[in-house]
Amino acid sequence: MLKESPDLNLMFQALADPTRRAMVDRMTRGPASVSDLARPFAMTLAAVMQHLKVLEQSGLVRTQKEGRVRTCRIDPVALRTAEDWIAKRRTTWESRLDRLGALLDED
């Protein structure tokens, strides 16, 4: 069985939700307040905070409260962890498909 980091599992679980993916997408353009992140969604601020809590627990997002404003930003190191995992699998499958293509070309 493959050994996987619990953090990686939490990251992919967090990214499985389309609302959280949209929030991450917004934060890739720069830090955003909770209100900014909530604006495109028809949900309460409490629901948005629950989504952010999941993203924070996964390590993908960091938040900081300054006065009454909570600012959220992507943690690039955590995002890179998920990206590296995907890249390794892509490299493996590309290699396998190249070998299959070469085998089929032999005929």
Side-chain angles (χ1 to χ4, degrees):
M1 179 137 196
L2 249 169
K3 283 188 174 182
E4 293 182 15
S5 163
D7 294 338
L8 189 60
N9 292 339
L10 290 175
M11 286 179 207
F12 284 116
Q13 287 173 357
L15 292 172
D17 183 87
T19 300
R20 291 192 288 268
R21 284 194 308 272
M23 289 177 177
V24 167
D25 186 48
R26 166 53 191 89
M27 286 182 273
T28 59
R29 292 178 295 200
S33 69
V34 173
S35 297
D36 290 340
L37 293 172
R39 194 166 289 120
F41 304 106
M43 64 177 68
T44 65
L45 279 178
V48 170
M49 289 300 296
Q50 286 183 337
H51 283 293
L52 286 170
K53 182 178 178 182
V54 172
L55 288 168
E56 274 190 285
Q57 289 173 337
S58 75
L60 288 167
V61 171
R62 303 275 182 232
T63 66
Q64 180 179 0
K65 189 167 184 178
E66 297 174 19
R68 297 183 67 172
V69 177
R70 182 171 294 280
T71 303
C72 309
R73 57 181 44 85
I74 292 290
D75 182 344
V77 174
L79 199 55
R80 199 170 305 118
T81 300
E83 181 183 7
D84 290 346
W85 187 90
I86 291 169
K88 286 177 186 174
R89 271 84 202 147
R90 181 181 23 205
T91 301
T92 298
W93 278 102
E94 286 173 351
S95 173
R96 289 176 181 175
L97 290 172
D98 288 345
R99 286 195 313 260
L100 177 61
L103 181 66
L104 292 173
D105 287 343
E106 288 178 7
D107 290 339

